[in-house]
């Protein structure tokens, strides 16, 4: 999804339909890696200025110099943020780049915390449970979390769910992996902050 506060919607649609294929920087930020860079640092200005993308898509909106933030983590790309300046305003400074690298580092950490398994449509489903949508839990895993949130102790989970202890262990191990935690105590800390675990 592409969004801008100052580029007209029809111009964004034009990018999606035609000019995305001519975008000289897209290949560089396609990898799921934390990156913050000036476009002028990765492409020679002569080639940038002569490109179809610059001439037909960027120039009409008075954009010339770009700075790109690629927010990623756990081998997932979360988003790209592209900032542009006109030729008259000049390129982004080293200070601009340094500040945005710090901001992107914080963004990467936050996105990794919120979406350790990548962003999927279910991540934004308002009707689904918070943990289910963030960590992409199965229905049964969500039931386990719901019971823990309601105060059910670990040794009572099998009885409450009418399943064996081994099946509970399998569900819990899957939850730990998805939530990037090690044990039941950590799980309780995540789903019930401030509550002390007593087994």
């Amino acid at each position: 999804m592409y969004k801008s506060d100052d580029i007209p919607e029809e111009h964004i649609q034009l990018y999606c339909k035609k000019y995305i294929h001519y975008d000289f920087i897209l290949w560089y930020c396609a990898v799921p890696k934390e990156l913050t860079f000036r476009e002028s640092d990765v492409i020679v200005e002569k080639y940038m200025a002569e490109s179809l993308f610059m001439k037909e898509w960027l120039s009409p909106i008075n954009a010339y110099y770009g700075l790109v933030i690629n927010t990623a983590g756990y081998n997932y790309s979360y988003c790209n943020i592209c900032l542009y300046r006109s030729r008259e305003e000049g390129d982004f400074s080293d200070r601009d780049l340094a500040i945005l690298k710090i901001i992107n580092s914080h963004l990467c950490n936050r996105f990794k915390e919120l979406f350790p398994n990548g962003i999927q449509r279910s991540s934004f489903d308002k009707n689904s449970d918070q943990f289910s949508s963030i960590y992409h839990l199965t229905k049964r895993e969500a039931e386990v979390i719901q019971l823990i949130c309601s105060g059910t102790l670990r040794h009572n989970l099998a009885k409450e769910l009418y399943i064996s202890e081994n099946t509970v262990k399998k569900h819990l191990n899957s939850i730990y992996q998805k939530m990037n935690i090690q044990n039941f105590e950590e799980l309780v800390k995540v789903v019930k902050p401030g509550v002390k675990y007593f087994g």
Side-chain angles (χ1 to χ4, degrees):
M1 177 172 70
Y2 298 92
K3 182 171 175 17
S4 173
D5 289 337
D6 53 3
I7 299 175
E9 180 62 31
E10 56 274 7
H11 207 70
I12 292 174
Q13 292 306 317
L14 200 56
Y15 174 82
C16 296
K17 289 178 183 169
K18 179 179 179 182
Y19 293 103
I20 192 170
H21 306 292
Y22 300 103
D23 188 343
F24 45 71
I25 212 66
L26 192 61
W27 58 269
Y28 191 76
C29 59
V31 294
K33 184 176 175 185
E34 179 179 338
L35 294 169
T36 305
F37 61 92
R38 288 177 291 228
E39 291 180 357
S40 60
D41 288 338
V42 296
I43 187 164
V44 177
E45 190 169 349
K46 175 183 185 286
Y47 297 121
M48 183 173 74
E50 292 174 359
S51 73
L52 186 69
F53 183 60
M54 176 60 75
K55 289 178 181 175
E56 295 186 11
W57 196 78
L58 288 173
S59 290
I61 57 171
N62 199 25
Y64 190 81
Y65 293 105
L67 189 144
V68 178
I69 292 172
N70 194 41
T71 303
Y74 299 135
N75 219 22
Y76 296 105
S77 279
Y78 297 113
C79 69
N80 294 105
I81 301 170
C82 304
L83 307 173
Y84 287 101
R85 287 184 174 163
S86 69
R87 198 171 201 158
E88 298 73 41
E89 291 172 302
D91 205 351
F92 292 86
S93 69
D94 289 344
R95 184 173 187 271
D96 296 331
L97 186 62
I99 290 169
L100 289 165
K101 278 185 178 182
I102 293 168
I103 291 170
N104 192 32
S105 177
H106 289 285
L107 284 172
C108 290
N109 288 334
R110 185 64 175 146
F111 273 92
K112 286 190 292 189
E113 181 184 313
L114 289 173
F115 307 105
N117 298 307
I119 297 176
Q120 299 175 20
R121 183 170 296 280
S122 64
S123 302
F124 302 98
D125 184 356
K126 300 280 190 247
N127 297 321
S128 65
D129 172 77
Q130 175 190 1
F131 294 103
S132 296
S133 58
I134 291 174
Y135 297 105
H136 313 296
L137 303 178
T138 66
K139 184 178 177 186
R140 189 56 115 177
E141 291 164 356
E143 288 174 357
V144 171
I145 297 291
Q146 188 175 14
L147 285 171
I148 294 167
C149 287
S150 67
T152 303
L153 299 176
R154 186 186 191 291
H155 65 270
N156 289 332
L157 289 172
K159 186 171 86 172
E160 291 290 327
L161 293 166
Y162 301 99
I163 57 177
S164 72
E165 284 291 335
N166 279 340
T167 305
V168 169
K169 283 180 189 174
K170 286 179 187 175
H171 289 312
L172 286 172
N173 286 331
S174 177
I175 293 167
Y176 300 158
Q177 185 177 7
K178 290 178 180 181
M179 295 178 75
N180 197 27
I181 57 177
Q182 302 301 315
N183 54 45
F184 194 79
E185 187 172 355
E186 284 184 41
L187 178 59
V188 172
K189 285 179 185 174
V190 172
V191 300
K192 293 186 77 168
V195 174
K196 195 163 184 178
Y197 169 64
F198 294 107

